mmCIF file of all heavy atoms in Angstrom:
data_model
loop_
_atom_site.group_PDB
_atom_site.id
_atom_site.type_symbol
_atom_site.label_atom_id
_atom_site.label_comp_id
_atom_site.label_asym_id
_atom_site.label_seq_id
_atom_site.Cartn_x
_atom_site.Cartn_y
_atom_site.Cartn_z
ATOM 1 N N GLY A 5 -15.976 3.755 0.849
ATOM 2 C CA GLY A 5 -14.723 3.199 1.292
ATOM 3 C C GLY A 5 -13.513 3.767 0.610
ATOM 4 O O GLY A 5 -12.291 3.431 0.890
ATOM 5 N N GLY A 6 -13.696 4.598 -0.364
ATOM 6 C CA GLY A 6 -12.647 5.354 -1.107
ATOM 7 C C GLY A 6 -12.093 4.451 -2.181
ATOM 8 O O GLY A 6 -12.732 3.509 -2.649
ATOM 9 N N SER A 11 -12.229 -4.922 2.864
ATOM 10 C CA SER A 11 -13.332 -5.792 3.108
ATOM 11 C C SER A 11 -12.960 -6.905 4.132
ATOM 12 O O SER A 11 -13.831 -7.774 4.483
ATOM 13 C CB SER A 11 -13.825 -6.444 1.893
ATOM 14 O OG SER A 11 -12.772 -7.172 1.255
ATOM 15 N N SER A 14 -6.174 -10.209 7.232
ATOM 16 C CA SER A 14 -5.526 -11.419 7.900
ATOM 17 C C SER A 14 -4.181 -10.951 8.403
ATOM 18 O O SER A 14 -3.507 -10.135 7.675
ATOM 19 C CB SER A 14 -5.392 -12.520 6.861
ATOM 20 O OG SER A 14 -6.565 -13.001 6.417
ATOM 21 N N ALA A 22 9.122 -11.774 0.911
ATOM 22 C CA ALA A 22 8.936 -12.666 -0.164
ATOM 23 C C ALA A 22 8.020 -13.897 0.246
ATOM 24 O O ALA A 22 7.189 -14.298 -0.416
ATOM 25 C CB ALA A 22 10.262 -13.244 -0.665
ATOM 26 N N LEU A 25 4.454 -12.645 0.556
ATOM 27 C CA LEU A 25 3.878 -12.439 -0.826
ATOM 28 C C LEU A 25 3.425 -13.732 -1.258
ATOM 29 O O LEU A 25 2.419 -13.921 -1.984
ATOM 30 C CB LEU A 25 4.860 -11.731 -1.719
ATOM 31 C CG LEU A 25 5.144 -10.245 -1.479
ATOM 32 C CD1 LEU A 25 6.294 -9.787 -2.273
ATOM 33 C CD2 LEU A 25 3.861 -9.395 -1.612
ATOM 34 N N SER A 26 4.232 -14.772 -1.076
ATOM 35 C CA SER A 26 3.870 -16.170 -1.486
ATOM 36 C C SER A 26 2.632 -16.603 -0.921
ATOM 37 O O SER A 26 1.716 -17.170 -1.517
ATOM 38 C CB SER A 26 5.049 -17.119 -1.083
ATOM 39 O OG SER A 26 4.717 -18.381 -1.544
ATOM 40 N N CYS A 31 -4.410 -16.344 -1.533
ATOM 41 C CA CYS A 31 -5.637 -15.763 -1.038
ATOM 42 C C CYS A 31 -6.738 -16.149 -1.963
ATOM 43 O O CYS A 31 -6.662 -15.970 -3.165
ATOM 44 C CB CYS A 31 -5.614 -14.294 -0.919
ATOM 45 S SG CYS A 31 -7.130 -13.449 -0.570
ATOM 46 N N MET A 33 -9.543 -14.881 -2.951
ATOM 47 C CA MET A 33 -9.970 -13.795 -3.799
ATOM 48 C C MET A 33 -8.963 -13.493 -4.877
ATOM 49 O O MET A 33 -9.300 -13.097 -5.965
ATOM 50 C CB MET A 33 -10.284 -12.485 -2.988
ATOM 51 C CG MET A 33 -11.521 -12.608 -2.161
ATOM 52 S SD MET A 33 -11.955 -11.158 -1.160
ATOM 53 C CE MET A 33 -11.319 -9.818 -1.939
ATOM 54 N N GLY A 37 -9.742 -14.400 -8.819
ATOM 55 C CA GLY A 37 -9.719 -13.174 -9.682
ATOM 56 C C GLY A 37 -10.840 -12.175 -9.174
ATOM 57 O O GLY A 37 -11.018 -11.123 -9.885
ATOM 58 N N SER A 38 -11.538 -12.486 -8.038
ATOM 59 C CA SER A 38 -12.579 -11.466 -7.678
ATOM 60 C C SER A 38 -12.166 -10.367 -6.728
ATOM 61 O O SER A 38 -13.002 -9.522 -6.476
ATOM 62 C CB SER A 38 -13.686 -12.323 -6.900
ATOM 63 O OG SER A 38 -13.157 -12.809 -5.639
ATOM 64 N N CYS A 41 -5.190 -8.329 -2.911
ATOM 65 C CA CYS A 41 -4.644 -8.451 -1.532
ATOM 66 C C CYS A 41 -3.497 -7.592 -1.466
ATOM 67 O O CYS A 41 -2.590 -7.428 -2.327
ATOM 68 C CB CYS A 41 -4.235 -9.949 -1.393
ATOM 69 S SG CYS A 41 -3.547 -10.296 0.243
ATOM 70 N N GLU A 45 3.950 -4.683 6.206
ATOM 71 C CA GLU A 45 4.579 -5.088 7.400
ATOM 72 C C GLU A 45 3.904 -4.435 8.615
ATOM 73 O O GLU A 45 3.518 -3.240 8.568
ATOM 74 C CB GLU A 45 6.026 -4.699 7.514
ATOM 75 C CG GLU A 45 6.806 -5.122 8.675
ATOM 76 C CD GLU A 45 8.284 -4.799 8.724
ATOM 77 O OE1 GLU A 45 8.739 -4.106 7.734
ATOM 78 O OE2 GLU A 45 9.010 -5.088 9.701
ATOM 79 N N VAL A 47 4.338 -3.217 12.449
ATOM 80 C CA VAL A 47 5.427 -2.852 13.409
ATOM 81 C C VAL A 47 4.769 -2.802 14.792
ATOM 82 O O VAL A 47 3.845 -2.083 15.116
ATOM 83 C CB VAL A 47 6.072 -1.535 13.091
ATOM 84 C CG1 VAL A 47 7.123 -1.149 14.116
ATOM 85 C CG2 VAL A 47 6.685 -1.514 11.716
#
Side-chain angles (χ1 to χ4, degrees):
S11 60
S14 296
L25 291 171
S26 180
C31 173
M33 289 178 28
S38 67
C41 184
E45 182 178 1
V47 178

